[in-house]
């Protein structure tokens, strides 16, 4: 029996075709792209809410109501919510795949993760689009100026 031969140091490396899932490649790319977009969205959110004007001292119901009355801020917050939740869910999914050894445990953890993420996304989306800035019976001094207080 002959020993295997070692190729010469300068011979070209022949790469084998990747056998990974295209879903994993898409998840990997999504994490990088969504991370970049989230940095912009989050810093924009922080600058507008905490740095401009009176900073944190102006944050109250009226400020939030005024922001959520604007379609621009609704879309901004919705994009931030969806991207953050899907980005985080994908990260936790990767951790589950790496550390959960039994298939049953892995499936259970993933189902709980997906259900929790779906609930947060649905409830967050509902809050953004059904928020009532002028509730009946609210303290008029806390309401935004557009409520006719």
């Amino acid at each position: 029996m002959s020993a295997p031969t070692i190729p010469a140091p300068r011979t070209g490396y022949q790469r084998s075709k990747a056998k990974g899932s295209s879903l994993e490649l898409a998840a990997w790319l999504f994490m990088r792209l969504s991370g970049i977009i989230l940095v912009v969205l989050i810093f924009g959110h922080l600058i507008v809410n905490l740095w401009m004007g009176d900073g944190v001292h102006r944050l109250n119901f009226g400020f939030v109501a005024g922001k959520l009355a604007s379609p621009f801020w609704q879309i901004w917050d919705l994009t931030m919510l969806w991207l953050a939740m899907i980005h985080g869910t994908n990260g936790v999914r990767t951790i589950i795949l790496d550390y959960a050894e039994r298939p049953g445990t892995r499936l259970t953890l993933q189902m709980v993760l997906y259900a929790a993420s779906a609930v947060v996304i649905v409830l967050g989306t509902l809050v953004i689009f059904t928020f009532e800035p002028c509730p009946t019976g609210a303290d008029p001094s806390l309401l935004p100026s557009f409520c006719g207080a």
Side-chain angles (χ1 to χ4, degrees):
M1 184 167 175
S2 66
T5 59
I6 298 174
R10 303 273 183 216
T11 57
Y13 173 71
Q14 296 297 323
R15 228 182 181 157
S16 61
K17 178 130 172 96
K19 295 177 180 137
S21 164
S22 62
L23 172 67
E24 290 303 319
L25 174 61
W28 184 85
L29 284 172
F30 172 79
M31 291 298 277
R32 274 70 190 161
L33 296 174
S34 66
I36 293 168
I37 296 168
L38 278 168
V39 166
V40 172
L41 291 171
I42 291 168
F43 275 107
H45 176 83
L46 291 174
I47 288 169
V48 168
N49 289 339
L50 303 177
W51 190 57
M52 295 176 71
D54 292 335
V56 73
H57 302 293
R58 74 176 175 162
L59 293 180
N60 60 20
F61 179 84
F63 177 79
V64 174
K67 274 189 70 181
L68 287 179
S70 163
F72 173 80
W73 288 112
Q74 285 178 335
I75 298 301
W76 185 285
D77 288 350
L78 183 73
T79 305
M80 192 167 49
L81 168 74
W82 278 64
L83 276 180
M85 284 306 300
I86 296 170
H87 182 95
T89 300
N90 190 35
V92 174
R93 179 192 67 86
T94 303
I95 292 170
I96 290 169
L97 291 176
D98 285 346
Y99 291 104
E101 294 179 6
R102 291 191 211 136
T105 304
R106 184 178 296 147
L107 181 64
T108 302
L109 290 172
Q110 284 181 318
M111 290 302 112
V112 169
L113 171 66
Y114 297 147
S117 298
V119 166
V120 170
I121 288 172
V122 168
L123 290 178
T125 301
L126 285 171
V127 167
I128 289 170
F129 288 115
T130 63
F131 181 75
E132 178 55 51
C134 304
T136 307
D139 180 2
S141 66
L142 296 176
L143 292 177
S145 59
F146 58 79
C147 286

